[in-house]
């Protein structure tokens, strides 16, 4: 649900609001829904990213008297991103209310979930929170409300992993801020409405504050099967020690699924051959992604093979400055792994298992 139009009765008239807009490719659908509206009084802009704001200029063209209600920071961003003129805005402060007669909208700043200007709207009389990106899910469904929490949990976790995970510390503050309101329903801009808000709040608390799990995310790419042999060996060695695995062949993997598993993995292992003196580009991509998503894993290692040399470990290690991980001794084999390499993989599995036990990962 990218937008909602709310008829609001006041003493004088019916007022119409747009809560955000839609991505420009969906503009036709939105504008056709507005066809019968004689006026739009306000467009509430929670977030300047174009999947929410991109059609605001077209709404303003159709309803030139409409005011865009947003934060001062979002105003400046929208002026730059969409060239919306300054006089079209009415800015609101954190906590400010907009009374529309018998309905009241309260605007609550929720910075960095996931842009700095983000805010949400609380419809006080109905106790509905319009959360925009915050608490949303990557799911397209004709069901307006969450009916299958298990299905939505996975979709929301994927959304959290891909969009929100880098902002874990501010998420906690924003959840605490929202806890001060009596919220009976959450209507995010992505995914269905939560009639049981505690479901998604509890999930977020677990993803943000919960301990990592006794689980390794092992991403790999192999060209001539040397790295693959090492991966297979390490998988078995970890399983023998009771460590759970999430294995991703980067040549075919769904990056979204990889992101989900990063939410609570205790360790990350990257398996890569050496190509042009460095990691395979797919392994470099995985490292870049992990660095950008900033998962809470505490340990990382690198395994792989090389033909004549290179700086695979140095290059990969230099790509993950955002990760607060202890790097466990990498294992690199020249060509097919031999006895010494398997011993080193056995030791790597032992070290990971011990460190997970020390941390109390379950
Ligand atoms: Fe940050 Fe749904 O866009």
């Amino acid at each position: 649900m990218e937008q909602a139009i709310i008829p609001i009765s006041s003493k004088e008239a019916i007022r119409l609001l747009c809560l955000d807009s839609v991505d420009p490719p969906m503009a036709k659908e939105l504008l056709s829904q507005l066809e019968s509206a004689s006026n739009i009084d306000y467009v509430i802009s929670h977030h300047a990213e174009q999947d929410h704001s991109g059609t605001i200029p077209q709404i303003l063209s159709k309803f030139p008297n409409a005011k865009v209600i947003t934060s001062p920071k979002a105003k400046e961003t929208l002026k730059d991103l969409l060239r919306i003129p300054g006089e079209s805005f009415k800015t609101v402060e954190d906590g400010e209310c907009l009374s529309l007669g018998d309905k009241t909208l309260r605007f609550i700043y929720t910075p960095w979930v996931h842009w700095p200007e983000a805010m949400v709207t609380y419809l006080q009389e109905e106790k509905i929170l319009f959360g925009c990106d915050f608490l949303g899910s990557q799911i397209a469904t004709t069901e307006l409300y969450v009916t299958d929490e298990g299905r939505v949990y996975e979709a929301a976790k994927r959304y959290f992993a891909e969009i929100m995970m880098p902002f874990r510390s501010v998420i906690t503050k924003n959840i605490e801020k929202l806890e001060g309101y009596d919220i009976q329903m959450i209507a995010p801009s992505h995914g269905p409405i939560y009639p049981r808000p505690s479901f998604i709040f509890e999930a977020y608390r677990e993803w943000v504050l919960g301990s990592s799990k006794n689980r390794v995310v092992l991403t790999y790419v192999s060209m001539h099967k040397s790295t693959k042999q090492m991966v297979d060996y390490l998988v078995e060695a970890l399983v023998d020690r009771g460590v759970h695995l999430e294995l991703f062949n980067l040549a075919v993997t769904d990056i979204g699924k990889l992101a989900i598993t990063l939410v609570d993995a205790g360790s990350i292992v990257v398996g890569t051959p050496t190509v042009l003196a460095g990691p395979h580009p797919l392994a470099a991509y995985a490292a870049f992604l992990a660095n950008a998503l900033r998962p809470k894993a505490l340990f990382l290692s690198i395994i792989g093979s090389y033909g004549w040399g290179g700086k695979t470990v140095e290059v990969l290690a230099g790509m993950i400055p955002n990760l607060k991980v202890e790097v466990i001794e990498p294992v690199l084999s020249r060509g097919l792994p031999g006895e010494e390499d398997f011993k080193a993989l056995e030791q790597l599995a032992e070290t990971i298992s011990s460190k997970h036990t020390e941390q109390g990962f379950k």
Side-chain angles (χ1 to χ4, degrees), residues 2 47 49-52 114-115 132-133 159 163 189-190:
E2 286 294 343
H47 171 34
E49 195 169 10
Q50 286 90 330
D51 57 322
H52 305 266
H114 62 123
W115 278 21
C132 194
D133 273 349
Y159 187 79
I163 310 288
S189 293
H190 297 277

Side-chain angles (χ1 to χ4, degrees), residues 1 38 65 110 114 132-133 222 226 232 257 264 278 322 352:
M1 189 185 69
S38 57
N65 293 326
T110 48
H114 62 123
C132 194
D133 273 349
S222 186
S226 304
D232 291 345
K257 284 191 179 159
D264 27 42
N322 292 339
I352 290 173

